Amino acid sequence: MTAPRRELIVLFDGECNLCNRSVQFIIRRDRRGRFKFAPLQWAIAKQLTERTESAGSMLLIENGKTHRESTAALRICKNLRFPWPILSALIVIPRPIRDFAYRWIARNRYRWFGKREACMVPTEELSARFLSE
């Protein structure tokens, strides 16, 4: 008997260049294809966030539980190939401190990394990794 496959969904700001680069980073380090993705601007993401919690710049839904801000980022790292899971050890830093740093980057992401006019459109090769709009 095989263990059930864990559901890992990353919801991200599809207009944010940093968020789009982060999705590409995750895809390259997730060779087993466990992560699925959807821009927060898509209807499916809005449905998922209505069921869970308010949206942020990036959310991780892991087996139905929503992780936000720094916790989402660290749990994503935990599920990537080595050496990225090592970063998940930063979870021992108190969440208010981690989230302060996360929010500072999130507040400045458009200024530092730019913003797209529209959400990224996945290539045909990657379309299976994205939830249906």
Side-chain angles (χ1 to χ4, degrees):
M1 175 183 269
T2 60
R5 187 176 170 146
R6 292 178 36 200
E7 182 178 53
L8 299 165
I9 301 171
V10 176
L11 304 178
F12 64 100
D13 180 351
E15 296 173 347
C16 167
N17 286 333
L18 174 62
C19 299
N20 280 286
R21 288 184 203 148
S22 297
V23 167
Q24 294 300 320
F25 178 89
I26 294 166
I27 288 170
R28 286 191 305 274
R29 287 153 184 86
D30 176 32
R31 295 227 171 113
R32 289 186 266 171
R34 298 184 316 174
F35 285 96
K36 301 289 184 192
F37 305 92
L40 287 162
Q41 292 82 357
W42 285 5
I44 186 73
K46 290 180 185 353
Q47 291 170 359
L48 290 169
T49 57
E50 284 174 5
R51 282 199 330 242
T52 56
E53 299 172 12
S54 63
S57 56
M58 188 173 276
L59 300 171
L60 172 66
I61 301 173
E62 185 175 19
N63 296 322
K65 182 175 181 184
T66 302
H67 302 285
R68 301 175 44 119
E69 298 179 327
S70 64
T71 303
L74 294 174
R75 292 191 70 84
I76 288 169
C77 288
K78 182 180 180 180
N79 286 286
L80 298 177
R81 66 177 159 89
F82 184 82
W84 300 104
I86 293 169
L87 290 177
S88 67
L90 295 174
I91 203 89
V92 300
I93 297 171
R95 191 173 72 193
I97 295 169
R98 289 186 282 116
D99 285 349
F100 177 81
Y102 182 94
R103 288 183 199 127
W104 179 68
I105 294 167
R107 269 193 314 273
N108 293 290
R109 70 188 189 272
Y110 293 143
R111 186 168 11 127
W112 294 342
F113 301 98
K115 184 176 179 179
R116 297 169 179 242
E117 293 293 319
C119 293
M120 103 183 237
V121 177
T123 64
E124 188 175 316
E125 176 185 326
L126 293 179
S127 64
R129 303 286 303 274
F130 283 75
L131 301 177
S132 297
E133 188 176 1

